[in-house]
Amino acid sequence: MARNIDGTEISRVMRAEMAQQVADLQAQGITPGLSVVLVGNNPASQAYVSSKTRACEALGMKGQTLNLPEDVSAEALFAAIDQLNADPTVHGILVQLPLPAHLPYKAVLEHIHPDKDVDGFHPQNAGLAFVGDPRAFVPCTPAGIMEMLRREDISTRGKHVVIVGRSLIVSKPLASLLMAPGPDATVTLTHRHTPDLASFTRQADILIVAVGKQNLITADMVKPGVVVIDVGQNRVTDPSSPRGYRMVGDVDFDAVSQVAEAITPVPGGVGPMTITMLLANTIQAARQTLQARTRKTT
């Protein structure tokens, strides 16, 4: 049986470390602040935003949510973001996705100042991350996966990493991070149009799956000893659950666990790391603000 890579436990350890970082920043006169913009009243989005706010407060950070109506105009949304961009107590800004269809989500994300783009979606941050600039905010899920691999002592140097998926949020930035000097992995990106997907996944020393399709990866599609990182989040009906459903990943967990060396569960794997890295990015933003302030006074 594969050992579980416990994202919940890794997150707990990291958040204890970050609480000390927040205290250190407060001693220097700055409290990291995250503002989340929530448009509409989607229950799933509301729950997710609430968990982010609680996580901030647990570390001693400032967490606030700006609720806007479902029919808010793009101009009004841009104006709200402008206010947050100009607020010196706000170090990180996140616009909760998905947005209503009438809002141009790419333009909205690009309206956030790059110095406060703690989701790492602004083109400037994407470019800085691509060239390995330490000032960049890396998207939270790829950053969380890199941290999991590091803390689990899973070497990537010289390893063949196969990523199933090609999203701008997870797969493409993750490929760039893995190929960079230091991680030194050889990366293959695959997607839904890749013929004979199994011929690629069987080559993987580390297999990362981020598609959103239940049981996409089965035991016969991986080689013995592989490390599997399952990013998928799929809701399946389960009458025995109090909510009437449960979450599963893209990997047939029970079967692949019989073959793999290590695997992330769903839930409890990559998911907790995403919010943790959002907090880490917000602390980084506050630290960079403090450094800029110090440079101006010297």
Side-chain angles (χ1 to χ4, degrees):
M1 284 290 294
R3 64 182 174 88
N4 271 13
I5 301 175
D6 189 344
T8 301
E9 175 60 17
I10 296 171
S11 292
R12 185 193 65 78
V13 172
M14 288 185 66
R15 292 189 192 192
E17 297 168 354
M18 289 190 289
Q20 183 58 55
Q21 294 168 13
V22 171
D24 292 343
L25 285 168
Q26 289 174 332
Q28 299 175 74
I30 189 168
T31 297
L34 173 67
S35 289
V36 181
V37 180
L38 176 61
V39 179
N41 52 13
N42 179 289
S45 292
Q46 287 177 327
Y48 196 44
V49 167
S50 177
S51 68
K52 293 172 181 176
T53 302
R54 291 195 304 271
C56 283
E57 294 170 348
L59 296 187
M61 299 167 57
K62 295 177 182 176
Q64 67 171 10
T65 301
L66 178 61
N67 289 282
L68 298 175
E70 181 86 15
D71 61 353
V72 66
S73 67
E75 292 74 18
L77 178 54
F78 289 152
I81 294 173
D82 284 336
Q83 288 185 330
L84 297 176
N85 282 335
D87 187 340
T89 68
V90 175
H91 304 103
I93 302 170
L94 180 151
V95 176
Q96 183 64 39
L97 300 177
L99 289 170
H102 71 281
L103 294 172
Y105 81 94
K106 288 185 179 180
V108 170
L109 297 179
E110 291 174 10
H111 206 79
I112 300 170
H113 194 287
D115 290 347
K116 298 189 178 188
D117 168 43
V118 289
D119 246 346
F121 294 159
H122 192 284
Q124 179 173 314
N125 277 314
L128 289 173
F130 184 79
V131 300
D133 192 306
R135 295 172 299 173
F137 295 112
V138 176
C140 300
T141 300
I145 291 170
M146 296 299 292
E147 193 67 22
M148 293 176 86
L149 294 172
R150 185 181 73 81
R151 289 178 180 257
E152 289 289 305
D153 293 322
I154 297 170
S155 175
T156 57
R157 177 166 294 170
K159 298 298 178 63
H160 187 186
V161 180
V162 176
I163 301 175
V164 184
R166 54 178 174 179
S167 73
L168 292 171
I169 295 174
V170 179
S171 301
K172 289 182 178 178
L174 181 57
S176 179
L177 292 171
L178 285 162
M179 289 187 294
D184 294 314
T186 297
V187 178
T188 298
L189 268 175
T190 67
H191 49 81
R192 64 189 180 96
H193 295 297
T194 300
D196 193 9
L197 178 62
S199 69
F200 291 92
T201 59
R202 290 191 195 102
Q203 298 177 41
D205 301 309
I206 300 172
L207 178 63
I208 301 169
V209 192
V211 174
K213 183 176 180 181
Q214 180 187 3
N215 290 340
L216 174 66
I217 303 299
T218 53
D220 63 317
M221 296 175 67
V222 301
K223 70 179 183 180
V226 67
V227 173
V228 179
I229 307 295
D230 190 351
V231 189
Q233 294 281 336
N234 305 289
R235 182 181 294 191
V236 298
T237 301
D238 183 356
S240 66
S241 169
R243 297 178 295 181
Y245 67 88
R246 58 188 173 88
M247 301 303 295
V248 300
D250 292 345
V251 176
D252 183 348
F253 182 86
D254 291 339
V256 173
S257 293
Q258 302 294 324
V259 182
E261 175 187 326
I263 189 170
T264 58
V266 178
V270 175
M273 296 296 295
T274 298
I275 293 181
T276 297
M277 298 314 297
L278 174 67
L279 302 174
N281 280 352
T282 304
I283 293 169
Q284 176 187 336
R287 187 178 295 115
Q288 290 176 179
T289 298
L290 180 62
Q291 291 167 348
R293 183 189 301 171
T294 302
R295 284 194 297 269
K296 287 181 180 179
T297 58
T298 56

Short mmCIF file of all heavy atoms in Angstrom, two decimals, residues 15 18 29 47 54 57 118 126 142 145 164 171 182 185 189 218 222 253 286:
data_model
loop_
_atom_site.label_atom_id
_atom_site.label_comp_id
_atom_site.label_asym_id
_atom_site.label_seq_id
_atom_site.Cartn_x
_atom_site.Cartn_y
_atom_site.Cartn_z
N ARG A 15 1.21 26.33 8.88
CA ARG A 15 0.48 27.46 9.46
C ARG A 15 1.03 27.83 10.83
O ARG A 15 1.01 29.01 11.21
CB ARG A 15 -1.01 27.14 9.52
CG ARG A 15 -1.63 27.05 8.14
CD ARG A 15 -3.14 26.94 8.17
NE ARG A 15 -3.68 26.57 6.87
CZ ARG A 15 -4.96 26.62 6.53
NH1 ARG A 15 -5.85 27.02 7.42
NH2 ARG A 15 -5.36 26.25 5.32
N MET A 18 3.87 29.96 9.95
CA MET A 18 3.43 31.26 9.44
C MET A 18 2.89 32.16 10.54
O MET A 18 3.00 33.38 10.47
CB MET A 18 2.40 31.06 8.33
CG MET A 18 3.02 30.51 7.05
SD MET A 18 1.88 30.54 5.64
CE MET A 18 0.75 29.25 6.11
N GLY A 29 5.49 46.49 12.84
CA GLY A 29 4.46 47.49 12.54
C GLY A 29 3.58 47.19 11.36
O GLY A 29 2.92 48.10 10.83
N ALA A 47 -18.85 29.49 1.14
CA ALA A 47 -18.20 28.60 2.10
C ALA A 47 -16.67 28.66 1.95
O ALA A 47 -15.93 28.70 2.94
CB ALA A 47 -18.69 27.18 1.91
N ARG A 54 -11.43 32.75 7.92
CA ARG A 54 -11.13 32.11 9.21
C ARG A 54 -9.65 31.73 9.30
O ARG A 54 -9.03 31.87 10.36
CB ARG A 54 -12.00 30.87 9.41
CG ARG A 54 -13.47 31.17 9.62
CD ARG A 54 -14.19 29.94 10.19
NE ARG A 54 -14.01 28.77 9.34
CZ ARG A 54 -14.81 28.45 8.32
NH1 ARG A 54 -15.85 29.23 8.04
NH2 ARG A 54 -14.60 27.37 7.60
N GLU A 57 -7.62 34.84 10.14
CA GLU A 57 -7.79 35.25 11.54
C GLU A 57 -7.07 34.31 12.49
O GLU A 57 -6.53 34.75 13.52
CB GLU A 57 -9.28 35.33 11.87
CG GLU A 57 -10.01 36.43 11.08
CD GLU A 57 -11.51 36.36 11.22
OE1 GLU A 57 -12.02 35.32 11.73
OE2 GLU A 57 -12.19 37.32 10.81
N VAL A 118 -2.18 37.91 -4.96
CA VAL A 118 -1.69 36.74 -4.22
C VAL A 118 -2.20 35.42 -4.79
O VAL A 118 -1.76 34.35 -4.36
CB VAL A 118 -2.04 36.85 -2.72
CG1 VAL A 118 -1.19 37.94 -2.05
CG2 VAL A 118 -3.52 37.15 -2.51
N ALA A 126 2.71 35.93 -13.73
CA ALA A 126 2.93 34.71 -14.52
C ALA A 126 4.28 34.78 -15.22
O ALA A 126 5.04 33.80 -15.26
CB ALA A 126 1.80 34.53 -15.53
N PRO A 142 -0.12 25.07 -7.60
CA PRO A 142 1.23 24.62 -7.96
C PRO A 142 2.24 24.84 -6.84
O PRO A 142 3.08 23.97 -6.57
CB PRO A 142 1.57 25.46 -9.19
CG PRO A 142 0.26 25.85 -9.77
CD PRO A 142 -0.66 26.00 -8.60
N ILE A 145 1.81 22.14 -4.26
CA ILE A 145 2.34 20.84 -4.69
C ILE A 145 3.85 20.81 -4.54
O ILE A 145 4.42 19.83 -4.04
CB ILE A 145 1.92 20.56 -6.15
CG1 ILE A 145 0.41 20.32 -6.22
CG2 ILE A 145 2.67 19.34 -6.70
CD1 ILE A 145 -0.14 20.27 -7.62
N VAL A 164 -1.03 15.49 -16.22
CA VAL A 164 -2.23 15.32 -17.04
C VAL A 164 -3.10 16.54 -16.80
O VAL A 164 -3.65 16.74 -15.72
CB VAL A 164 -2.98 14.03 -16.67
CG1 VAL A 164 -4.16 13.83 -17.62
CG2 VAL A 164 -2.05 12.82 -16.73
N SER A 171 -1.47 23.37 -14.23
CA SER A 171 -0.54 22.52 -14.97
C SER A 171 0.62 23.29 -15.59
O SER A 171 1.79 22.90 -15.43
CB SER A 171 -1.28 21.74 -16.06
OG SER A 171 -2.29 20.95 -15.48
N GLY A 182 17.15 23.60 -9.75
CA GLY A 182 16.79 23.22 -8.38
C GLY A 182 15.92 21.98 -8.41
O GLY A 182 16.40 20.88 -8.12
N ALA A 185 13.45 18.68 -12.90
CA ALA A 185 12.70 17.53 -13.42
C ALA A 185 12.59 17.62 -14.94
O ALA A 185 12.71 18.68 -15.54
CB ALA A 185 11.30 17.50 -12.80
N LEU A 189 3.82 17.32 -20.51
CA LEU A 189 2.45 17.81 -20.33
C LEU A 189 1.53 17.05 -21.28
O LEU A 189 1.78 16.99 -22.49
CB LEU A 189 2.38 19.30 -20.65
CG LEU A 189 2.55 20.30 -19.51
CD1 LEU A 189 2.57 21.71 -20.06
CD2 LEU A 189 1.45 20.16 -18.48
N THR A 218 -6.32 4.83 -13.74
CA THR A 218 -6.54 3.52 -13.12
C THR A 218 -5.19 2.84 -12.86
O THR A 218 -4.14 3.30 -13.31
CB THR A 218 -7.42 2.65 -14.03
OG1 THR A 218 -6.83 2.61 -15.34
CG2 THR A 218 -8.83 3.24 -14.13
N VAL A 222 -0.30 3.20 -14.37
CA VAL A 222 0.87 3.70 -13.64
C VAL A 222 1.86 2.56 -13.43
O VAL A 222 1.49 1.38 -13.46
CB VAL A 222 0.47 4.30 -12.27
CG1 VAL A 222 -0.51 5.45 -12.45
CG2 VAL A 222 -0.13 3.24 -11.35
N PHE A 253 -8.30 5.88 -6.39
CA PHE A 253 -7.41 5.88 -5.23
C PHE A 253 -7.14 4.48 -4.70
O PHE A 253 -5.97 4.10 -4.47
CB PHE A 253 -8.01 6.76 -4.12
CG PHE A 253 -7.15 6.86 -2.90
CD1 PHE A 253 -6.13 7.81 -2.82
CD2 PHE A 253 -7.34 6.02 -1.82
CE1 PHE A 253 -5.33 7.92 -1.69
CE2 PHE A 253 -6.55 6.11 -0.69
CZ PHE A 253 -5.54 7.06 -0.62
N ALA A 286 3.04 41.24 2.29
CA ALA A 286 3.26 42.17 3.41
C ALA A 286 4.74 42.40 3.65
O ALA A 286 5.18 43.53 3.90
CB ALA A 286 2.59 41.62 4.67
#
